[in-house]
Amino acid sequence: MAVFDMPKNTDAEKTARKAAMQAALRQAILVPYRTMEVAFDSLALMKAMAEQGNPNSVSDAGVGALCARSAVMGAYLNVCINAADLEDKDFVQDILQKGKNMQDKAQALETEILDIVRKVIAAQ
């Protein structure tokens, strides 16, 4: 937000302001992208909990998977909206593709984990 307070009277000020804005946008993309990565990585733990954990708390693994997938998808929405104004289109294309792939994998893992959870619940 400090970028908006930067002066923009001279060409040099405009150039500096634009560079600062682009740097801020890149950070605004990377922060939720990192959130996506952390949430995605947590799905492995949820899967292990569903497969090997206490059957009496298997629903917790399912809830965790639901939350992690939601976190991945929500963070990806933030990546997308912040990427719209970044001028480095190669970076944007790369991060959006990686994010889309991670989102797709998170959805598939969530389904896999929930299937395991349902089987464990049914076996009780």
Side-chain angles (χ1 to χ4, degrees), residues 8-83:
K8 54 183 176 180
N9 299 317
T10 67
D11 286 344
E13 290 174 341
K14 290 176 185 175
T15 299
R17 186 175 192 267
K18 183 177 180 179
M21 177 66 80
Q22 290 298 304
L25 281 169
R26 184 178 292 266
Q27 271 307 110
I29 293 166
L30 290 174
V31 168
Y33 185 80
R34 288 187 194 115
T35 299
M36 289 182 74
E37 291 177 318
V38 170
F40 179 80
D41 290 345
S42 75
L43 286 162
L45 177 61
M46 267 57 102
K47 185 175 180 192
M49 286 173 57
E51 291 174 331
Q52 303 160 15
N54 184 337
N56 294 322
S57 62
V58 71
S59 62
D60 294 337
V63 171
L66 292 166
C67 292
R69 190 259 316 148
S70 293
V72 169
M73 293 180 72
Y76 185 60
L77 292 174
N78 288 323
V79 168
C80 291
I81 197 153
N82 292 327

Side-chain angles (χ1 to χ4, degrees), residues 96-115:
L96 290 178
Q97 187 59 54
K98 287 178 181 175
K100 171 85 170 79
N101 291 341
M102 194 182 323
Q103 179 179 259
D104 293 346
K105 289 177 184 176
Q107 288 176 311
L109 267 171
E110 176 201 43
T111 298
E112 187 178 337
I113 293 165
L114 291 176
D115 287 345

Side-chain angles (χ1 to χ4, degrees), residues 55 58-59 114-124:
V58 71
S59 62
L114 291 176
D115 287 345
I116 295 165
V117 168
R118 288 183 187 104
K119 287 177 187 171
V120 171
I121 290 171
Q124 290 186 3

